[in-house]
Amino acid sequence: MTIRVLIADDQGIVRAGLSTILNGQPDIDVIGQAADGREAVTLARELRPDVCLLDIRMPNLDGIEATRLLAGPGNADPIAVVVITTFDTDEYIYGALKAGARGFLLKGAEPDQLIQAIHAAVRGDVLIDPGVTGRLLATFSTNTPATAPAQPIDALTEREEDVLRRVARGRTNAEIAEELHISISTVKFHVTSLMTKLAARNRVELAMWAYETNRMK
């Protein structure tokens, strides 16, 4: 299957570089490029790419609002969004994750990480730059959320708490399995259970819930 990608960034040289990297993959095809958020939303709704690769700081409509319009809660037909940006605006990055972004990478990430993020988004998984996960979420762990964090439908088990903390630190299922001395299938079972209990759509929301409820102490 060919993965169809839309790129949105206000810098032409960045769009060209990302396009070159992605089009160099046998299973990825860049089907469109946008220079601002509003154009990105319009093209995405018209072309229906499998993944939108969005910068956060863009004219007319920023990447946070573009992400919310394409992938946010309540969207009947969401499109996977991967945010790729610098780390100089923490609040924007956090906002993008809250808005529904399925992945987050720094612009200094290796090409392989970018490819992995695209593939993860298509699978319905989430990939966050491992060097940023803890730092990003911890930055906002002391902030009071606009609304109180949702309470789990059922109380979390001790093992689920263990898995949750590792998800929040950006660990993969394989890494969690190794650390807790359990099978990968057991990790997947606990992650699925956590998503159900917390009404979370993905690992990003699990991680943010963990920080907002002080589970990381």
Side-chain angles (χ1 to χ4, degrees), residues 126 128-130 133-134 162-180 187 191 203 207 211 216:
V126 173
I128 303 178
D129 193 308
T133 306
D162 291 338
V163 171
L164 177 65
R165 283 190 289 272
R166 286 163 174 80
V167 167
R169 293 188 181 104
R171 303 288 197 273
T172 65
N173 286 346
E175 290 170 338
I176 295 172
E178 182 177 357
E179 290 181 11
L180 295 179
V187 175
V191 171
R203 295 166 83 97
Y211 276 94
M216 304 306 295

Side-chain angles (χ1 to χ4, degrees), residues 11-216:
Q11 297 181 22
I13 192 170
V14 173
R15 295 196 304 274
L18 293 173
S19 182
T20 297
I21 292 170
L22 296 180
N23 280 330
Q25 301 302 306
D27 61 345
I28 297 179
D29 182 22
V30 176
I31 62 170
Q33 297 184 32
D36 62 62
R38 194 173 304 282
E39 183 183 10
V41 171
T42 299
L43 280 178
R45 288 173 172 171
E46 176 186 342
L47 301 176
R48 299 301 304 178
D50 299 304
V51 179
C52 288
L53 192 61
L54 304 182
D55 186 20
I56 286 184
R57 281 188 169 178
M58 293 187 290
N60 296 326
L61 188 72
D62 66 34
I64 297 175
E65 186 59 26
T67 298
R68 185 176 295 110
L69 290 173
L70 295 174
N75 196 313
D77 192 14
I79 297 174
V81 172
V82 172
V83 170
I84 181 165
T85 187
T86 57
F87 194 65
D88 61 342
T89 53
D90 297 356
E91 69 277 12
Y92 286 176
I93 300 167
Y94 184 79
L97 296 177
K98 292 286 284 186
R102 193 172 285 178
F104 163 65
L105 291 176
L106 298 177
K107 284 185 176 177
E110 294 296 325
D112 284 350
Q113 284 185 300
L114 174 61
I115 304 306
Q116 290 172 21
I118 296 293
H119 282 273
V122 170
R123 293 193 306 267
D125 296 332
V126 173
L127 189 151
I128 303 178
D129 193 308
V132 169
T133 306
R135 175 182 171 185
L136 170 64
L137 294 174
T139 298
F140 293 88
S141 64
T142 57
N143 286 11
T144 303
T147 58
Q151 294 303 305
I153 296 172
D154 296 307
L156 304 187
T157 67
E158 184 177 349
R159 180 59 82 193
E160 286 171 345
E161 295 276 5
D162 291 338
V163 171
L164 177 65
R165 283 190 289 272
R166 286 163 174 80
V167 167
R169 293 188 181 104
R171 303 288 197 273
T172 65
N173 286 346
E175 290 170 338
I176 295 172
E178 182 177 357
E179 290 181 11
L180 295 179
H181 307 290
I182 57 180
S183 68
I184 292 178
S185 61
T186 299
V187 175
K188 291 180 179 178
F189 172 81
H190 287 310
V191 171
T192 298
S193 178
L194 285 165
M195 288 183 180
T196 299
K197 288 184 176 182
L198 300 174
R201 295 171 300 166
N202 51 53
R203 295 166 83 97
V204 173
E205 293 187 356
L206 289 179
M208 287 192 292
W209 188 87
Y211 276 94
E212 289 175 348
T213 56
N214 298 316
R215 283 322 201 264
M216 304 306 295

